[in-house]
Amino acid sequence: MQGTECGRKGSDAGQGEEALLRVEHVSKVFPVKKRRLTAVDDVNLILSRGEVLGIVGESGCGKSTLAKIIAGSLKATSGRVTLNGVEYPKLKGAAARNHRRNIQMVFQDPLSSFSPRMKIGTYLSEPRRNYDRLPRTEAWREAGALLEQVGLPASFLNRFPHELSGGQLQRVAIARAIAIDPPLLICDEATGALDVSIQDQVAALLVRLIKERNIGCIFIGHDPALVRSISDRVAVMYLGRVMELMPSRLLEQEHCHPYTKALLDSIFDVYCDQSAEIRLLEGEPPSPLRLQSGCAFAPRCQRCTERCRRTVPELKDIGGGHFVACVET
Ligand SMILES: Nc1ncnc2c1ncn2[C@@H]1O[C@H](COP(=O)(O)OP(=O)(O)OP(=O)(O)O)[C@@H](O)[C@H]1O
Ligand code: SF4
Ligand SMILES: [Mg+2]
C-alpha cells in the first residue's frame, strides 16, 4: 500500500476540515492480451473545496485513467472514491443521475465536446435545462451571463463552434462545466492545445472561477511550471503511482524525489536558458505490462541501490504537507 492519507494539511489531513474528495487505495488494472496493465497503482489523495490539486507526470503515467475514475466514467479495479462522504461509484438509478452534476470535466480538445450544428447558447443552457428544468428563455439568459463571466460577449450565444477560436471555445467549455455549480471540476490537459499566451489567460480564468465559487479542482497537465502556477498542491505521478505530493511552492526548489528532479530538470533548464539543450529523462518508462519488483523508477534512477529493487516505497510524510515515496529519502 502506498501511504495512507495524503491531504492538504499533511498528517492532520481530513481531521479538522471535511474533505470534499477522498481517493483511497485506488488501482486500475486493464487486461491487455491476457496480461495485466496497471495504469493506476494504489493512489491516495484528498481534496478540499476551493483547492486546486495539480497532477503532473510523463505521458502514460495514469493521469487520465485516475481522472476518469474520479469523474465516475471508469470503474476502479480496487479502492474507494467518495465525494462529501458518499461512495458515488456505487450509486444506482436516480441517485447516480443526480450525482453526475457534482463532477464536471474540461478536456484538452474543446471542439470534440461540441456538436458543430449546436449554437453556443444551446450548448451552454443545456445543463441548467436538463438538471434544473429551467425554462429555455431563463437558461438562455443565464448562459449569456456565464459567457460574460468567462470573458466573452453574450452575443456569442448565437454563434456556432467553428466561429470561435480554440481559446474562446475552451472558455465556453469552462462556462458549461461551471453552469450547474459543481463542487468538483476536473481539467484534463484543459490548456494543453492552446498557444502559450492563451494558456496563461485560460489558467488565470480557471483559478479565479475556482476561488470565487469555492470549487475543488484537479488540474492535470504536462507542464510542471503551469501546473505549479495554478495549483495549491502538486502530485507527481510515475507509472500509476504518486511519487511525491507537496504544496506547489515547494515543487521547483524543495522537491525530494529523484523522479521529480529528473522531470523538472528536463523542463526548467530550458525556461532559464533558451539556448540550453532539452535534456530528456534517461530511458523510457518501463512498460506498465512488465513491472518489476521494488521501486518503479529504479531502472532510470541514478540513486538506485539494492534496497530500492527489493522494496516498493511507501509515500512518507516528511512534514509540512510534503509526502515522498523513495526509500533513500
Ligand atoms: N482502456 C484502456 N485499455 C488498456 N490500456 C489502457 C486503457 N486506457 C489507458 N490505458 C493504458 O494505461 C496507461 C495510462 O494511460 P493514461 O491515459 O491514464 O495516461 P496519461 O498519464 O493520461 O497519459 P497522457 O499524458 O499521454 O495523456 C497507459 O499505459 C495506457 O496505454
Ligand atoms: S527508491 Fe531508490 S530507485 Fe526509487 S526513486 Fe528512491 S533512490 Fe531512486
Ligand atoms: Mg491523459
Side-chain angles (χ1 to χ4, degrees):
M1 285 195 181
Q2 196 197 1
T4 49
E5 296 209 314
C6 302
R8 195 156 69 125
K9 294 199 170 136
S11 54
D12 66 335
Q15 282 176 12
E17 193 175 342
E18 198 41 55
L20 170 68
L21 173 77
R22 279 177 190 270
V23 175
E24 294 168 84
H25 302 299
V26 163
S27 296
K28 179 69 191 178
V29 178
F30 292 110
V32 176
K33 292 183 188 158
K34 295 190 181 160
R35 294 166 74 187
R36 290 161 57 83
L37 185 152
T38 305
V40 173
D41 192 3
D42 195 20
V43 166
N44 293 278
L45 294 169
I46 290 180
L47 181 75
S48 303
R49 282 202 82 136
E51 185 190 21
V52 184
L53 173 66
I55 302 183
V56 290
E58 286 165 287
S59 183
C61 71
K63 304 180 295 295
S64 295
T65 304
L66 179 62
K68 287 178 200 160
I69 291 170
I70 296 172
S73 59
L74 187 67
K75 205 171 173 304
T77 308
S78 57
R80 194 165 175 267
V81 191
T82 57
L83 192 82
N84 286 324
V86 176
E87 197 171 351
Y88 55 90
K90 292 196 170 161
L91 295 175
K92 301 261 183 297
R97 272 195 303 281
N98 288 339
H99 165 79
R100 264 178 228 134
R101 67 178 300 153
N102 289 328
I103 305 178
Q104 297 296 308
M105 286 195 77
V106 181
F107 298 99
Q108 178 167 13
D109 176 15
L111 256 188
S112 64
S113 46
F114 290 88
S115 157
R117 292 207 190 93
M118 192 186 265
K119 280 185 177 173
I120 298 298
T122 312
Y123 174 82
L124 270 183
S125 25
E126 247 185 5
R128 287 282 277 152
R129 295 196 69 198
N130 291 345
Y131 283 108
D132 299 323
R133 304 273 167 232
L134 220 63
R136 188 178 181 282
T137 41
E138 207 175 319
W140 193 268
R141 198 172 49 244
E142 275 196 9
L146 268 175
L147 276 179
E148 283 166 1
Q149 282 177 43
V150 297
L152 297 173
S155 59
F156 275 27
L157 288 174
N158 287 308
R159 290 204 183 181
F160 289 96
H162 68 271
E163 296 173 312
L164 270 64
S165 71
Q168 289 168 337
L169 276 179
Q170 201 58 304
R171 284 172 186 264
V172 174
I174 292 167
R176 180 177 157 119
I178 61 165
I180 43 174
D181 265 327
L184 178 61
L185 182 66
I186 303 176
C187 301
D188 190 355
E189 305 280 358
T191 58
L194 306 176
D195 285 352
V196 176
S197 58
I198 309 289
Q199 266 185 9
D200 289 344
Q201 291 169 17
V202 173
L205 168 71
L206 265 171
V207 174
R208 177 171 61 75
L209 293 170
I210 287 160
K211 301 295 172 191
E212 275 173 13
R213 293 172 172 247
N214 201 26
I215 298 171
C217 174
I218 294 192
F219 187 88
I220 293 169
H222 273 110
D223 175 356
L226 179 77
V227 172
R228 177 200 53 180
S229 72
I230 86 154
S231 306
D232 298 293
R233 291 184 298 136
V234 178
V236 180
M237 279 185 77
Y238 184 75
L239 277 178
R241 296 180 76 84
V242 174
M243 291 295 187
E244 189 162 10
L245 175 71
M246 70 207 110
S248 47
R249 71 191 140 76
L250 304 184
L251 178 67
E252 197 176 342
Q253 299 293 337
E254 292 173 64
H255 55 266
C256 297
H257 198 284
Y259 175 64
T260 311
K261 178 169 176 10
L263 187 68
L264 298 185
D265 278 355
S266 66
I267 291 151
F268 281 119
D269 278 4
V270 189
Y271 287 147
C272 301
D273 175 1
Q274 298 294 321
S275 64
E277 197 185 329
I278 299 179
R279 253 191 303 139
L280 294 172
L281 271 160
E282 282 195 17
E284 290 290 312
S287 161
L289 280 166
R290 279 180 271 111
L291 289 185
Q292 67 287 315
S293 58
C295 173
F297 190 53
R300 301 165 87 190
C301 182
Q302 292 174 351
R303 284 169 51 194
C304 179
T305 62
E306 218 17 69
R307 201 152 68 108
C308 307
R309 298 191 194 279
R310 288 196 309 266
T311 320
V312 178
E314 300 276 323
L315 259 184
K316 259 187 326 213
D317 183 352
I318 61 167
H322 195 165
F323 297 79
V324 190
C326 172
V327 295
E328 299 299 324
T329 298

